[in-house]
């Protein structure tokens, strides 16, 4: 059975560059697990460096687009989102010499 829960620490990423920027998806390390569609929570905790942004996107057609303004985090927090898509990615941006080591991210389906 597929796991629809993503629970990662960005320190384990070999995908992010030396500034801690990059895109995590189903084929990155660590991976963002595909979803089954439905209602999910997106949570981030830890230390956000100056300018750090986490943006959750889903694939619509051939293009990844931001799910909504609530799925763009610049500080610890989270949101509930709904998506019918299965391909999700996390864009980590805004780092400038500070790594994303202290950030934990959870993407999990809500109970039905």
């Amino acid at each position: 059975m597929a796991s629809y829960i993503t629970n990662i620490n960005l320190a384990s990423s070999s995908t992010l560059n030396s500034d801690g920027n990059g895109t995590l998806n189903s084929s990155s390390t660590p991976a963002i697990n595909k979803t089954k569609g439905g209602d999910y929570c997106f949570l981030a905790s830890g230390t956000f460096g100056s300018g750090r942004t986490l943006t959750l996107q889903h694939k619509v057609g051939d293009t990844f687009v931001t799910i909504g303004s609530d799925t763009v985090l610049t500080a610890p927090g989270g949101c509930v989102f709904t998506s019918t898509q299965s391909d999700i990615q996390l864009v980590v941006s805004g780092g400038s010499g500070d790594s994303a080591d202290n950030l934990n991210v959870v993407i999990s389906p809500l109970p039905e």
Side-chain angles (χ1 to χ4, degrees):
M1 180 176 207
S3 174
Y4 299 110
I5 299 172
T6 296
N7 186 352
I8 59 173
N9 182 292
L10 299 186
S12 64
S13 178
S14 60
T15 303
L16 301 179
N17 67 19
S18 61
D19 286 332
N21 299 319
T23 301
L24 301 175
N25 54 39
S26 61
S27 60
S28 65
T29 302
I32 302 295
N33 293 325
K34 291 189 176 213
T35 64
K36 62 181 177 176
D39 297 326
Y40 281 75
C41 66
F42 168 45
L43 306 170
S45 64
T47 303
F48 278 67
S50 177
R52 172 76 62 213
T53 301
L54 302 180
T55 304
L56 194 62
Q57 300 179 326
H58 58 185
K59 192 172 186 180
V60 178
D62 293 331
T63 305
F64 279 94
V65 296
T66 301
I67 296 171
S69 59
D70 288 345
T71 63
V72 178
L73 301 178
T74 57
C79 68
V80 171
F81 69 93
T82 301
S83 176
T84 59
Q85 307 303 313
S86 62
D87 286 327
I88 301 288
Q89 72 178 18
L90 179 67
V91 178
V92 184
S93 61
S96 175
D98 56 341
S99 66
D101 289 355
N102 293 323
L103 290 175
N104 297 294
V105 174
V106 173
I107 303 165
S108 179
L110 297 178
E112 295 180 8

